[in-house]
Amino acid sequence: MTLSEIAIEKKVTCIMMIAGLVLLGLIAITKLPQELYPRISFPQLTIVTNYSNAAPEEIETLLTKPIEESVGSVSGLKGLQSISREGKSIVTVSFDWGTDIDFAALAIREKIDLVKEKLPKECEDPVVLKFDPLARPILILSLTGPLPPDQLKMVAEKSVKDNLEKVLGVASAEISGGLDREIQVDVDQGRLYASKISVLSLIDALEKSNLSYPAGSIKKGLYEYLIRTMGEFKSVDEIGYAVAGVDKSAGEKRGTDVFVERAKFEARDTLEGVREEAKRQRLKKRLILFKEVADIKDSYKEKTSISRFNSRENISISIQKQADANIIQVVDRVKTALLFLREELSSRNVKLEIIYDQSLFIRDALSGVRDAGVQGGLLAFLVLLLFLRNLYAALIVIVAIPTTIMGVFFLMFATNITINTMSMGGLALGVGMLIDNGVVVTENIFRLRSQEGMNAKEAAIKGSNEVIWAMLSSTLTTCAVFFPLLVFVPGVAGQLFKDLSWTVIDSQLLSWVISLTLTPLLALSIKIKDQKPGETDDSKFKPLAF
């Protein structure tokens, strides 16, 4: 049995399958991510390793060369570049197009794990990053107000950043601009040298003085209490009274021994005992405090980023979405969260504005493509109505358009294709071609009924079967134009046009199936105008009439 025979003999089954396809398409629309461009995967990885206060020569010798030697044996490697700069090593690894970048990143991490022990202990662990040129913030917010720059940045971190990162679909919120508070310890080199304390010892003493350690527990009755030693600084003044070191040479006279006269001690004291007591006094320890060797200031960090909006200093907050999140849905959730934040910030006279919204470009682009598809469908309906001169026949052909589009959305969801300008462009491109098969089937069925006098069921089955292979060959010729874009076009161009090609191919194949199932089923209800006496046979070749 052919598809047309199955659809006509099993009407309920056919209708339920078409309805299920439409329902799956409607569900897929709500779950498909919406982006401006298709996802592009560059075959490139970057290995970043930080080693603070190290010169480029040491970075090259201690970090860059060992990493290059370890990752140089990864399969599929095409190129290797490195940059050694002050405090940072950057190694860029390039692969051939078509390489699975996730497996390549896993192989790179395995090679780095083997060489980690050879790297300096003071350096940070190497980080493997993927290159994504389209990774841009979905929203950029501007925070302005009468508060000082450090307090305004604190409000952005505590009130805005923490709340927005809790929104579903938000990966991170990065803050730029403003000032960060910094406690500066300016060491006096002369006093430090006189105290015989090294800078490293001073840093180590400061780190050990600003710690809180657990000190065990105490059981009392049925309860057990945890004990903590509170050693963290609570104010800037406390840093000055922290111990920087110990002066062991206080009161000691170099080069000569101290002569002790017998008249200065009592008869019960021995000469050796007095000398030992004098030595203990000479070597008595003296604590050296931080305020004696350094000046402590409550200041700000050096500016590494400057943010301005409309010629005014502001705090910028860039929001990044998660990998599989829908941009439009995430932006809508963030805007809902901003409504509550604005009420809280208005009490502090702080103004929060949206200065960049990526969803606006996506909405405009997708709405433009959608409008083009709708307009194309309406024009196709008018053309069919003009030539077929039968409203019901034109509707039968046009109903294939929304049904096929819903099926294409389901296939996009199944093949992990997002809604973007390229995929929607493919749908708009295929709208005009979706009705070709339906027109052929409808016209052939009408010919059999009007010219050969067949009944509706026989004409629907025979009319569909007669053109089944002709429509398939026509459909495959269209698919053959776009299929090479999926197989033979590498690089960025191939990834950009992949979504467009898949949507065109899927829409053409689905339109062929629907024209052989739904169209013959609906064509059973076409009313054919009876031939009046005196009409010639030529009238049978006229288009459908009301």
Side-chain angles (χ1 to χ4, degrees):
M1 295 179 66
T2 61
L3 288 175
S4 302
E5 294 175 355
I6 295 174
I8 293 174
E9 296 294 338
K10 311 276 186 189
K11 297 180 181 179
V12 177
T13 303
C14 179
I15 293 174
M16 293 304 296
M17 291 182 66
I18 296 298
L21 182 65
V22 173
L23 180 61
L24 291 175
L26 292 173
I27 296 174
I29 291 177
T30 61
K31 296 183 177 297
L32 279 173
Q34 299 180 6
E35 299 176 347
L36 189 60
Y37 299 106
R39 295 171 180 171
I40 298 177
S41 177
F42 273 78
Q44 185 173 312
L45 295 171
T46 303
I47 307 169
V48 180
T49 310
N50 294 322
Y51 188 9
S52 57
N53 302 324
E57 290 80 4
E58 283 73 22
I59 294 292
E60 174 73 18
T61 304
L62 301 176
L63 295 180
T64 304
K65 286 186 177 181
I67 292 176
E68 286 180 346
E69 293 173 356
S70 63
V71 302
S73 59
V74 176
S75 61
L77 185 67
K78 183 180 179 180
L80 194 63
Q81 297 178 349
S82 64
I83 299 175
S84 299
R85 62 180 60 170
E86 181 182 356
K88 181 175 291 187
S89 169
I90 302 175
V91 179
T92 303
V93 185
S94 301
F95 297 88
D96 295 324
W97 286 100
T99 303
D100 192 332
I101 199 65
D102 293 327
F103 283 101
L106 182 61
I108 290 292
R109 293 188 180 97
E110 290 177 353
K111 295 295 183 179
I112 292 176
D113 290 339
L114 299 177
V115 79
K116 271 186 179 179
E117 297 180 355
K118 299 179 182 179
L119 302 180
K121 296 181 180 180
E122 295 81 8
C123 72
E124 299 179 6
D125 291 337
V127 179
V128 180
L129 302 175
K130 297 180 182 179
F131 177 68
D132 187 2
L134 301 179
R136 61 181 66 185
I138 61 173
L139 279 175
I140 299 179
L141 310 177
S142 173
L143 201 66
T144 55
L147 300 177
D150 58 328
Q151 296 183 15
L152 192 61
K153 189 169 186 178
M154 186 178 297
V155 170
E157 292 176 349
K158 302 298 181 181
S159 299
V160 181
K161 182 178 186 294
D162 293 346
N163 286 282
L164 292 183
E165 287 183 342
K166 299 176 183 177
V167 177
L168 181 64
V170 174
S172 63
E174 299 179 359
I175 297 177
S176 60
L179 294 173
D180 292 319
R181 186 187 180 194
E182 182 180 69
I183 309 301
Q184 298 178 354
V185 180
D186 295 335
V187 180
D188 188 296
Q189 185 176 2
R191 287 185 286 176
L192 191 66
Y193 179 76
S195 302
K196 297 182 179 180
I197 301 175
S198 65
V199 177
L200 296 178
S201 301
L202 196 68
I203 295 173
D204 187 55
L206 186 61
E207 291 178 350
K208 292 180 179 180
S209 301
N210 190 32
L211 289 177
S212 294
Y213 277 122
S217 60
I218 295 178
K219 291 184 178 179
K220 185 178 181 181
L222 299 176
Y223 299 97
E224 183 177 359
Y225 300 95
L226 298 178
I227 301 176
R228 295 174 58 204
T229 56
M230 307 299 292
E232 294 182 352
F233 299 128
K234 296 182 179 179
S235 64
V236 179
D237 295 336
E238 292 182 1
I239 302 177
Y241 291 94
V243 177
V246 178
D247 187 3
K248 296 182 180 180
S249 59
E252 183 180 3
K253 295 182 179 180
R254 300 178 181 177
T256 59
D257 293 332
V258 178
F259 177 78
V260 181
E261 297 180 358
R262 291 183 177 272
K264 292 184 179 180
F265 56 89
E266 298 179 358
R268 62 177 181 271
D269 293 332
T270 62
L271 181 61
E272 293 295 329
V274 174
R275 287 181 175 176
E276 290 294 329
E277 181 64 21
K279 185 177 181 181
R280 285 194 295 269
Q281 293 295 330
R282 291 196 306 268
L283 300 179
K284 186 177 181 181
K285 297 179 180 179
R286 185 179 70 86
L287 299 180
I288 301 174
L289 305 181
F290 268 88
K291 65 178 182 179
E292 298 177 4
V293 295
D295 297 328
I296 296 121
K297 301 177 183 178
D298 189 352
S299 185
Y300 302 102
K301 285 184 180 180
E302 184 180 357
K303 275 190 177 183
T304 56
S305 64
I306 299 175
S307 177
R308 291 190 180 94
F309 178 61
N310 290 337
S311 302
R312 293 181 58 189
E313 293 283 345
N314 75 324
I315 304 295
S316 297
I317 305 173
S318 303
I319 300 175
Q320 296 280 355
K321 74 174 185 69
Q322 294 177 353
D324 298 329
N326 189 320
I327 292 180
I328 294 179
Q329 293 179 357
V330 174
V331 169
D332 292 339
R333 296 191 194 106
V334 171
K335 289 181 179 179
T336 303
L338 292 179
L339 294 177
F340 300 97
L341 288 176
R342 285 193 176 98
E343 296 179 1
E344 178 185 351
L345 297 175
S346 61
S347 61
R348 305 181 184 181
N349 295 326
V350 176
K351 187 178 180 181
L352 184 62
E353 301 177 84
I354 298 177
I355 58 178
Y356 173 78
D357 186 355
Q358 189 178 357
S359 67
L360 295 179
F361 303 100
I362 298 175
R363 294 178 199 270
D364 293 340
L366 296 182
S367 63
V369 177
R370 181 194 60 213
D371 294 342
V374 172
Q375 293 169 6
L378 291 176
L379 291 175
F381 172 75
L382 294 177
V383 172
L384 288 173
L385 186 61
L386 177 64
F387 284 92
L388 297 178
R389 298 182 184 179
N390 190 306
L391 179 62
Y392 188 72
L395 289 175
I396 289 176
V397 178
I398 289 298
V399 77
I401 294 179
T403 307
T404 305
I405 289 176
M406 290 298 104
V408 171
F409 280 131
F410 171 68
L411 293 178
M412 289 172 59
F413 179 77
T415 55
N416 198 24
I417 296 177
T418 63
I419 296 178
N420 51 70
T421 54
M422 300 301 292
S423 60
M424 293 297 290
L427 277 179
L429 184 64
V431 163
M433 297 183 289
L434 294 181
I435 62 175
D436 294 346
N437 294 330
V439 171
V440 173
V441 172
T442 304
E443 186 64 24
N444 198 40
I445 293 173
F446 169 75
R447 181 184 61 82
L448 294 176
R449 291 183 62 182
S450 61
Q451 296 181 16
E452 300 183 11
M454 289 186 180
N455 58 34
K457 184 176 181 180
E458 292 178 356
I461 295 176
K462 185 176 181 180
S464 302
N465 292 337
E466 286 181 349
V467 296
I468 180 172
W469 297 111
M471 291 191 306
L472 180 59
S473 61
S474 175
T475 301
L476 292 180
T477 54
T478 305
C479 296
V481 175
F482 294 92
F483 185 75
L485 295 176
L486 302 173
V487 181
F488 301 109
V489 180
V492 179
Q495 297 187 45
L496 280 175
F497 288 98
K498 182 186 70 173
D499 292 0
L500 183 143
S501 302
W502 273 123
T503 50
V504 172
I505 293 174
D506 292 342
S507 62
Q508 291 302 299
L509 294 177
L510 280 175
S511 69
W512 178 75
V513 174
I514 290 174
S515 64
L516 295 176
T517 53
L518 184 61
T519 302
L521 183 61
L522 297 177
L524 296 175
S525 304
I526 294 180
K527 302 296 181 182
I528 302 297
K529 185 178 180 180
D530 295 334
Q531 182 178 344
K532 295 180 181 180
E535 288 182 339
T536 61
D537 292 342
D538 295 339
S539 62
K540 297 179 181 180
F541 295 93
K542 291 182 179 180
L544 296 175
F546 292 104

